[in-house]
């Protein structure tokens, strides 16, 4: 269930109430006249089944509540109510299959913004991965994958393509390109510093690395894994199961490939730079392709589900 907190201009309250009451899957409607001060208006509270949430939010936006008032949405972790259970049963489809497009756009907007924190996480993850590839340490590689925040901009690109949002696409591309470029430059400097300290050497990079050599040797499996990761990543975002993103992060070799390319660049090993760069691009392309197709399929299936349910009703 979702909890909606609305600030509504007094002249629109009755229409908003009728909209909420007319939406299948709503419960616990509360109206507090004159409670809101900024902006001034009435406070309207209600709960709605997740599968009916996107339609209700769209109807409220059509009334202009997002401009003249406010729409706040929260996930309800626990609701002990027979009325809520009935609302979820009445709502079309299953909550786990529903996509809240405004929530997805907001989440990807936040995660795909080029910020100091984003750059710091990506740079640190790439440096950890650099230690992993030089030492041939798979544990460090996995740790670097988990730290890397690059799935946010990738999800932003997928969402922008489906929603035809040029602004989100440009923001996400900027975060992805600038982020990886900055992280690789910093990691190249980091590897040279480690070399000067005697902790890294070119012989370590050139040695047989059975645990990490895959990062500069792309093959068909790299693309297959990226496709599967893109599907899993978008499903975790749209179903509000963000904890699954950690598993997605450690299944692709974006950060390790960038790290290997950065270290190899510092040593002038352009063969590994090329192989690692191809590995990076293959993974990025696979995730974006699969994520976009997943969103398109979800939108199609959800519209079909709601249409079938409406016809039966």
């Amino acid at each position: 269930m979702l909890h909606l907190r609305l600030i509504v201009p007094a002249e629109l309250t009755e229409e908003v109430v009728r909209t909420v009451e007319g939406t299948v899957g709503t419960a616990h409607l509360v109206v507090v006249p004159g409670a809101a001060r900024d902006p001034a208006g009435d406070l309207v509270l209600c709960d709605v089944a997740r599968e009916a949430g996107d339609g209700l939010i769209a109807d409220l936006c059509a009334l202009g509540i997002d401009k003249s008032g406010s729409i706040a949405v929260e996930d309800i972790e626990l609701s002990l109510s027979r009325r809520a259970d009935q609302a979820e049963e009445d709502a079309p489809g299953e909550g786990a299959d529903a996509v809240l497009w405004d929530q997805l756009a907001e989440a990807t907007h936040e995660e795909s913004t080029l910020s100091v924190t984003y750059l710091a996480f990506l740079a640190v993850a790439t440096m950890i991965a650099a230690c992993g590839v030089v030492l041939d340490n798979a544990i460090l590689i996995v740790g670097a994958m988990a730290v890397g925040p690059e799935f946010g901009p990738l999800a932003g690109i997928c969402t922008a393509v489906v929603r035809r949002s040029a602004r989100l696409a440009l923001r996400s591309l900027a975060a992805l390109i600038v982020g990886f470029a900055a992280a690789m430059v910093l990691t190249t400097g980091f590897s040279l510093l480690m070399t000067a300290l005697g902790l890294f050497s070119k012989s370590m990079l050139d040695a047989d690395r059975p645990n990490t050599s895959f990062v500069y040797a792309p093959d068909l499996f790299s693309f297959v894994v990226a496709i599967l990761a893109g599907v899993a990543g978008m499903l975790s975002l749209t179903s509000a199961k963000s904890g699954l993103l950690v598993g997605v992060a450690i299944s692709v070799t974006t950060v390790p490939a960038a790290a290997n390319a950065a270290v190899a660049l510092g040593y002038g090993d352009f063969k590994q730079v090329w192989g690692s760069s191809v590995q990076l691009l293959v993974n990025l392309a696979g995730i974006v392709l699969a994520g976009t197709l997943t969103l398109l399929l979800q939108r199609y299936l959800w519209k079909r589900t709601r249409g079938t349910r409406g016809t039966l009703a």
Side-chain angles (χ1 to χ4, degrees):
M1 293 290 286
L2 302 172
H3 178 68
L4 270 62
R5 185 182 72 249
L6 314 175
I7 296 178
V8 182
E11 64 273 14
L12 293 177
T13 300
E14 288 302 321
E15 192 169 1
V16 167
V17 168
R18 284 196 299 269
T19 300
V20 173
E21 291 178 333
T23 301
V24 176
T26 58
H28 310 148
L29 176 62
V30 176
V31 180
V32 185
R37 296 292 183 88
D38 184 21
D42 300 334
L43 178 64
V44 178
L45 308 173
C46 71
D47 296 338
V48 59
R50 182 180 178 85
E51 51 268 41
D54 191 64
L56 177 57
I57 293 171
D59 291 340
L60 293 172
C61 289
L63 294 175
I65 305 304
D66 56 325
K67 297 180 177 62
S68 59
S70 170
I71 303 174
V73 183
E74 300 174 344
D75 283 303
I76 300 176
E77 298 295 334
L78 177 64
S79 179
L80 302 178
S81 166
R82 182 178 298 177
R83 181 68 188 88
D85 293 341
Q86 185 62 48
E88 289 188 317
E89 183 178 341
D90 293 341
E94 295 293 333
D97 298 332
V99 179
L100 297 178
W101 292 100
D102 289 304
Q103 185 184 58
L104 179 62
E106 183 67 23
T108 52
H109 174 276
E110 181 178 351
E111 296 296 328
S112 63
T113 300
L114 185 61
S115 63
V116 174
T117 301
Y118 168 81
L119 289 174
F121 270 117
L122 190 55
V124 169
T126 309
M127 292 178 190
I128 295 173
C131 296
V133 296
V134 172
L135 299 174
D136 195 33
N137 189 315
I139 295 176
L140 291 177
I141 292 294
V142 171
M145 291 175 175
V147 173
E150 73 278 7
F151 190 80
L154 292 171
I157 294 173
C158 299
T159 305
V161 171
V162 175
R163 302 200 74 184
R164 299 179 182 179
S165 173
R167 180 176 298 181
L168 178 58
L170 291 175
R171 182 187 297 112
S172 301
L173 281 172
L176 198 64
I177 295 172
V178 175
F180 268 110
M184 291 173 71
V185 168
L186 291 173
T187 302
T188 299
F190 170 75
S191 67
L192 294 176
L193 174 63
M194 295 292 280
T195 301
L197 295 174
L199 298 175
F200 283 6
S201 67
K202 190 174 187 303
S203 61
M204 297 171 72
L205 188 72
D206 293 336
D208 291 335
R209 291 183 282 148
N211 294 321
T212 59
S213 60
F214 65 92
V215 300
Y216 60 88
D219 54 21
L220 182 59
F221 281 108
S222 300
F223 187 70
V224 171
V225 172
I227 289 289
L228 297 176
V231 173
M234 292 313 303
L235 288 176
S236 68
L237 281 180
T238 56
S239 62
K241 298 183 183 296
S242 57
L244 299 179
L245 283 177
V246 175
V248 173
I250 62 177
S251 64
V252 291
T253 55
T254 49
V255 167
N260 197 83
V263 175
L265 181 62
Y267 290 131
D269 188 341
F270 295 105
K271 182 178 180 181
Q272 287 201 38
V273 171
W274 172 255
S276 301
S277 300
V278 172
Q279 179 75 279
L280 174 61
L281 293 175
V282 165
N283 277 270
L284 294 177
I287 292 173
V288 170
L289 175 62
T292 302
L293 292 177
T294 299
L295 286 179
L296 290 171
L297 182 60
Q298 283 183 290
R299 185 171 66 176
Y300 168 75
L301 292 177
W302 185 247
K303 286 183 177 180
R304 185 172 180 178
T305 298
R306 294 187 64 182
T308 302
R309 187 66 174 264
T311 300
L312 292 175

